[in-house]
RNA sequence: GGCGCGUUCGUCUAGUGGCUUAGGACGCCGCCCUCUCAAGGCGGAGACCACGGGUUCGAAUCCCGUACGCGCUACCA
């Protein structure tokens, strides 16, 4: 068993979208599987009918695939251990649970919600541990049969023996032990016939031959129940690895209230999947060196569970943005083009007016100056339409009484150009500078202002080249008229 | 309340008993480069390694306690 290839699973409940914390759990499972020639399985834990959300599974799978995390087995990709949706496995849970009852490891419980509430209230008042009192565990066979015959609603509970010490080794946290005294007789099968998470996850992990259970830290306290369950069934206990939590800036568990948590939110805000995956991988894991930039295949190569941290990590948007910029710069303008077109459409910029060639040049000139593609449209609107206003502070600083004449001369020189070569604009400008014995800066800044309306941005010759001779000349003329 | 897990710059982290006057990255500040804005380069501020006891010649690193934080404590997952 030690040398068999690992089988791991990402087992979300379909609540409607993929949470970034879920993404990280999925990613670590994926990385671990791929690193070790293992199998990555997607299993849907939809045993809570009250939480059913239409389209949630499709959504989850879409987000996962967008991130590049392809699963080997799962819904729509049946392997030998399906179905992979728990609501389709109800008989399995019920049968196995009955075996537990027969073996005395579990029992029928007919307690009403009212009795349970009263019990908890009483225990709370007396300052005692809130636990089920095994009331129904003491029912005789005939009593149970009679209740069943009368169709009384029931659940099946785990029968946990007191005085045990439950121990296991967590790959990330080491040896952990619990006293069974404080482990409740957990409900295994609900009155609606559905299993609880605890039952379903143990049965499925065993039947799907899961070797490593890699999941969030919130499961750590219920792990002893799972260990006991494996033992009751007589099954081998898998390896556990409990991941640290992702946190809000105030160090509470990452939540909707304090920002975006869905992968699709980040996608629609213009983050590249490469950046999101890279960033999330680094929240709680490092290879141990100083490297921060990774592609997915490089993460696979470098990953190991043993190097996962124990403590929670704050989700830092600033660093995510930086990584986004890093990944942006590594992409070719051709790869970035669809993203630009997409944001142009969102901002109602007529696509047909701009050729791919034109936009590719725009991207080349702006890529070093933005963290997101949409910032090209926001920070350099002058590539999409002529400036309507000219920055007053730049006028004050760069535009003086002799500027109009100089600009007029530039128009003359530009007119002589036979192509839109960048060098042509540069030499033309230098001709004017020499003729009037002024520094090129005295032409460059007013020229930039004329072309863009602002004081910053790509090199002026680049802007002129991209806009072209005609458009540049028109803009200079307009500026001469408008700027007083 | 009980149980469990955690605690190194604001944030992500390196560090597994001497190499550490605690290293890197994001962010912040300054300088350089420069037609501007970025990018890039260089430098700076920023952590008495939660606190208190041990163990040891020597501890961020091992042990114990305390504090704080978080998680769990459902017929939710």
């Amino acid at each position: 068993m030690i040398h068999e290839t690992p089988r791991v699973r990402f087992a979300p409940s379909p609540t409607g979208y993929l949470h970034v914390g879920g993404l990280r759990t999925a990613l670590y499972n994926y990385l671990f599987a791929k690193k070790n020639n293992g199998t990555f399985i997607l299993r849907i834990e939809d045993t809570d009918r009250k939480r059913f959300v239409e389209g949630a599974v499709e959504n989850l799978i879409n987000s996962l695939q967008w991130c590049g995390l392809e699963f080997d087995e799962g819904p729509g990709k049946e392997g030998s251990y399906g179905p992979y949706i728990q609501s389709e496995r109800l008989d399995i849970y019920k049968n196995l649970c009955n075996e537990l009852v027969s073996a005395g490891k579990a029992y029928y419980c007919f307690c009403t919600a009212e009795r349970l509430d009263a019990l908890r209230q009483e225990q709370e008042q007396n300052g005692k541990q809130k636990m089920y009192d095994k009331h129904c565990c003491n029912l005789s066979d005939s009593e149970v049969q009679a209740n069943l015959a009368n169709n009384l609603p029931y659940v099946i509970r785990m029968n946990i023996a007191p005085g045990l010490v439950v121990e296991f080794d967590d790959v990330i946290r080491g040896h952990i032990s619990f006293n069974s005294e404080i482990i409740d007789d957990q409900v295994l099968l609900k009155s609606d016939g559905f299993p609880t998470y605890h039952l379903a996850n143990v049965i499925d992990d065993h039947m799907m031959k899961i070797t490593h259970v890699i999941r969030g830290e919130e499961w750590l306290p219920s792990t002893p129940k799972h260990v006991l369950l494996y033992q009751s069934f007589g099954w081998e206990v898998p390896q556990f690895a409990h991941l640290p939590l992702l946190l809000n800036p105030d160090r509470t568990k990452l939540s909707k209230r304090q920002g975006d948590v869905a992968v699709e939110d980040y996608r629609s805000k213009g983050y590249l999947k490469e950046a999101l995956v890279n960033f999330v991988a680094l929240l709680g894991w490092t290879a141990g060196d100083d490297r921060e930039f990774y592609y997915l295949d490089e993460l696979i190569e470098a990953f190991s569970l043993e190097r996962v941290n124990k403590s929670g990590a704050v989700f830092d948007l600033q660093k995510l943005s930086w990584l986004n910029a890093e990944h942006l710069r590594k992409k070719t303008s051709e790869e970035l083009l669809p993203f630009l077109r997409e944001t142009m459409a969102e901002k109602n910029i007529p696509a047909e007016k701009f050729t791919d060639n034109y936009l590719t040049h725009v991207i080349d000139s702006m890529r070093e100056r933005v963290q997101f593609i949409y910032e090209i449209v926001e920070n350099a609107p002058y590539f999409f339409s002529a400036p309507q206003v000219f920055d007053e502070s730049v006028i004050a600083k760069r535009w003086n009484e002799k500027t109009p004449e100089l600009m007029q001369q530039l128009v003359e020189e530009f007119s002589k150009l036979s192509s839109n070569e960048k060098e042509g604009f540069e030499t033309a400008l230098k001709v004017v500078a020499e003729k009037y014995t002024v520094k090129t800066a005295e032409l460059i800044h007013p020229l930039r202002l004329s072309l863009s309306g602002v004081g910053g941005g790509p090199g002026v010759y680049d802007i002129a080249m991209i806009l072209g001779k005609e458009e540049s000349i028109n803009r200079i003329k307009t500026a001469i008229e408008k700027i007083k």
Side-chain angles (χ1 to χ4, degrees):
Chain A
M1 116 101 222
I2 308 289
H3 297 293
E4 76 189 23
T5 60
R7 290 175 57 84
V8 297
R9 85 299 196 280
F10 172 51
S13 77
T15 53
Y17 56 88
L18 179 59
H19 190 282
V20 287
L23 168 61
R24 201 209 31 190
T25 302
L27 179 62
Y28 284 10
N29 271 283
Y30 174 86
L31 296 176
F32 179 73
K34 296 302 152 189
K35 168 78 178 185
N36 299 291
N37 296 312
T39 308
F40 175 55
I41 296 151
L42 174 66
R43 185 173 73 219
I44 303 299
E45 311 233 325
D46 59 342
T47 55
D48 185 0
R49 291 189 298 174
K50 295 186 285 290
R51 283 208 194 176
F52 178 76
V53 177
E54 193 72 51
V57 175
E58 292 72 14
N59 220 297
L60 210 49
I61 292 175
N62 278 344
S63 289
L64 232 33
Q65 287 180 338
W66 178 70
C67 292
L69 306 187
E70 289 288 340
F71 50 87
D72 303 304
E73 294 174 25
K77 210 167 182 179
E78 304 302 312
S80 322
Y81 304 92
Y84 296 91
I85 295 179
Q86 291 187 328
S87 59
E88 296 171 12
R89 301 170 62 81
L90 264 25
D91 287 347
I92 299 173
Y93 307 126
K94 195 156 203 164
N95 291 337
L96 255 3
C97 200
N98 282 336
E99 282 182 25
L100 244 29
V101 174
S102 306
K105 309 278 192 185
Y107 57 92
Y108 287 91
C109 172
F110 301 93
C111 288
T112 60
E114 291 70 37
R115 179 175 128 65
L116 260 19
D117 282 345
L119 176 66
R120 289 195 192 105
Q121 217 168 62
E122 181 206 312
Q123 287 169 333
E124 183 154 21
Q125 274 167 11
N126 298 335
K128 292 204 296 202
Q129 185 75 22
K130 281 193 284 184
M131 282 173 72
Y132 183 61
D133 60 359
K134 281 185 181 291
H135 177 262
C136 289
C137 192
N138 304 318
L139 257 33
S140 69
D141 270 3
S142 54
E143 282 174 307
V144 170
Q145 289 312 319
N147 285 342
L148 255 20
N150 285 329
N151 282 322
L152 284 188
Y154 66 88
V155 300
I156 292 178
R157 284 182 186 273
M158 219 177 149
N159 185 12
I160 291 175
L164 297 172
V165 175
V166 185
E167 299 178 278
F168 59 93
D169 288 297
D170 188 281
V171 180
I172 295 166
R173 286 150 211 284
H175 191 78
I176 295 171
S177 79
F178 290 81
N179 193 314
S180 73
E181 227 71 51
I182 52 98
I183 304 176
D184 205 357
D185 277 8
Q186 183 61 234
V187 170
L188 262 19
L189 204 68
K190 300 184 259 188
S191 55
D192 63 3
F194 277 64
T196 57
Y197 168 86
H198 308 284
L199 209 226
N201 120 86
V202 165
I203 289 177
D204 286 349
D205 283 345
H206 175 258
M207 296 189 71
M208 295 179 182
K209 294 200 159 53
I210 299 303
T211 57
H212 301 256
V213 173
I214 305 167
R215 76 226 305 190
E217 187 186 353
E218 67 268 28
W219 295 110
L220 202 48
S222 48
T223 303
K225 289 172 187 170
H226 306 157
V227 171
L228 252 19
L229 229 30
Y230 282 107
Q231 291 172 351
S232 297
F233 279 121
W235 295 338
E236 191 177 354
V237 181
Q239 288 278 303
F240 290 106
H242 287 95
L243 271 21
L245 261 21
L246 255 36
L247 311 173
N248 291 310
D250 68 357
R251 305 204 74 87
T252 53
K253 192 172 164 185
L254 191 64
S255 69
K256 251 190 214 174
R257 289 256 352 157
Q258 298 190 38
D260 295 313
V261 294
V263 167
E264 57 193 277
D265 291 336
Y266 289 91
R267 180 184 185 175
S268 65
K269 286 200 167 180
Y271 290 89
L272 296 170
K273 62 183 179 188
E274 290 86 349
L276 221 211
V277 168
N278 189 163
F279 175 65
V280 149
L282 259 19
L283 289 176
W285 172 85
T286 41
D289 52 22
D290 290 338
R291 186 168 177 192
E292 308 232 56
F293 187 94
Y294 289 91
Y295 288 115
L296 189 55
D297 57 333
E298 297 170 329
L299 285 170
I300 293 170
E301 191 52 43
F303 190 76
S304 77
L305 265 188
E306 288 74 17
R307 290 203 57 89
V308 173
N309 278 147
K310 296 175 177 66
S311 51
V314 173
F315 198 88
D316 177 16
L317 267 339
Q318 282 189 318
K319 192 152 187 176
L320 208 206
S321 296
W322 168 75
L323 261 178
N324 201 67
E326 291 290 300
H327 276 93
L328 211 58
R329 290 178 194 128
K330 288 282 200 302
K331 286 185 173 291
T332 65
S333 333
E334 286 73 22
E335 288 174 310
L336 260 13
L337 188 57
F339 294 98
L340 214 211
R341 288 251 182 230
E342 199 176 318
T343 57
M344 283 169 65
E346 282 164 15
K347 314 241 177 199
N348 297 314
I349 296 171
E352 65 283 0
K353 284 174 69 180
F354 305 96
T355 64
D356 283 356
N357 183 52
Y358 179 87
L359 294 177
T360 302
H361 284 301
V362 171
I363 292 171
D364 280 334
S365 74
M366 288 298 292
R367 61 188 315 143
E368 297 276 283
R369 282 160 249 268
V370 296
Q371 291 189 312
F372 299 90
I373 283 297
Y374 68 81
E375 289 178 336
I376 292 180
V377 178
E378 288 183 358
N379 300 354
Y382 46 87
F383 282 126
F384 306 94
S385 63
Q388 296 304 305
V389 293
F390 299 87
D391 190 312
E392 289 297 337
S393 64
V394 180
I395 293 173
K397 194 174 174 191
R398 310 286 195 186
W399 196 279
N400 56 46
E401 60 281 0
K402 65 178 180 180
T403 306
E405 191 190 345
L406 293 170
M407 290 299 103
Q408 188 53 46
Q409 276 302 308
L410 259 189
V411 169
E412 315 278 307
E413 285 300 321
F414 281 4
S415 300
K416 298 177 191 166
L417 295 173
S418 55
S419 75
N420 286 327
E421 298 287 311
K422 179 176 163 183
E423 291 72 23
F425 292 106
E426 184 165 0
T427 46
L429 184 138
K430 281 181 178 158
V431 166
V432 176
E434 215 161 296
K435 190 166 162 190
Y436 284 80
T437 59
V438 295
K439 282 190 274 187
T440 53
E442 284 199 58
L443 294 168
I444 284 171
H445 296 292
L447 173 58
R448 174 196 310 289
L449 182 64
S450 302
L451 298 180
S452 71
V454 294
V460 254
Y461 308 123
D462 287 303
I463 299 177
M465 174 200 75
I466 293 167
L467 293 177
K469 175 182 150 182
E470 297 300 324
E471 179 66 14
S472 295
I473 288 171
N474 286 340
R475 289 190 184 188
I476 298 168
K477 285 178 177 169
T478 305
I480 294 171
E481 281 173 33
K482 284 197 176 178
I483 301 174
K484 291 285 174 280

